[in-house]
Amino acid sequence: ILWATVAHRSLDLLRAADGPRLDVALSEAQHRSFQLAQSRGARFQMLESPVFFDATRHTLTALQRISAERLPFSQTLLACAPVPVVEPPKYLSASADADAWEMGGVFPSLPGRGTLHLLQPWPRSLSQGGQGGGQGGGQAWAGRKAAR
């Protein structure tokens, strides 16, 4: 994977008979790798991110320097392997109320005296009432816990 930014694009090059073309700018280290691959006949496919690239450039460059064996979550990030089922931490399942958080001050419409249980599905009153989005982080754990 090479990270580049569009340096120049013209309508004439984008409409070229042999396919669209544009000029890209690579870092000096990547430029050498690009030239070597190009001399061996490699073809490249460009993917464009909707995110402003320069904001994430340093993070992406740092990720390139990490070997795949040492990269955290490499099976998920690089190989797109399915995420294994993860059990909740022991401190959340140690007792019936270990996963309880008092959230009445934040969510006044929360049933049960404002208690939110992390290992249970997100309360419908919050997801439908516009006070919270979607499902809680414990939703996956709650499904796994119920299946036992």
Side-chain angles (χ1 to χ4, degrees):
I1 296 176
L2 297 173
W3 306 107
T5 55
V6 175
H8 176 75
R9 66 176 188 173
S10 72
L11 288 178
D12 293 337
L13 288 175
L14 290 173
R15 295 180 183 151
D18 59 340
R21 297 176 185 265
L22 50 87
D23 293 331
V24 295
L26 299 155
S27 69
E28 192 171 323
Q30 289 182 326
H31 193 268
R32 175 77 177 121
S33 298
F34 177 75
Q35 286 180 323
L36 184 62
Q38 206 173 25
S39 70
R40 294 179 180 158
R43 295 185 51 90
F44 295 90
Q45 183 164 3
M46 182 177 147
L47 302 173
E48 185 176 7
S49 171
V51 177
F52 180 61
F53 177 73
D54 284 336
T56 59
R57 174 194 306 265
H58 301 293
T59 302
L60 295 173
T61 303
L63 285 172
Q64 284 183 308
R65 292 185 188 128
I66 300 173
S67 68
E69 296 80 29
R70 296 191 63 203
L71 180 68
F73 309 109
S74 65
Q75 287 301 311
T76 304
L77 294 173
L78 302 177
C80 298
V83 178
V85 175
V86 178
E87 293 294 324
K90 291 185 192 301
Y91 68 87
L92 285 179
S93 53
S95 68
D97 286 334
D99 69 331
W101 287 76
E102 299 301 323
M103 300 295 287
V106 178
F107 302 115
S109 65
L110 194 62
R113 296 180 316 209
T115 302
L116 181 67
H117 289 271
L118 300 177
L119 299 179
Q120 294 177 3
W122 191 254
R124 287 187 181 270
S125 62
L126 295 182
S127 60
Q128 294 174 352
Q131 290 188 12
Q135 300 174 348
Q139 180 68 34
W141 284 337
R144 173 74 175 162
K145 193 175 181 182
R148 287 187 206 166

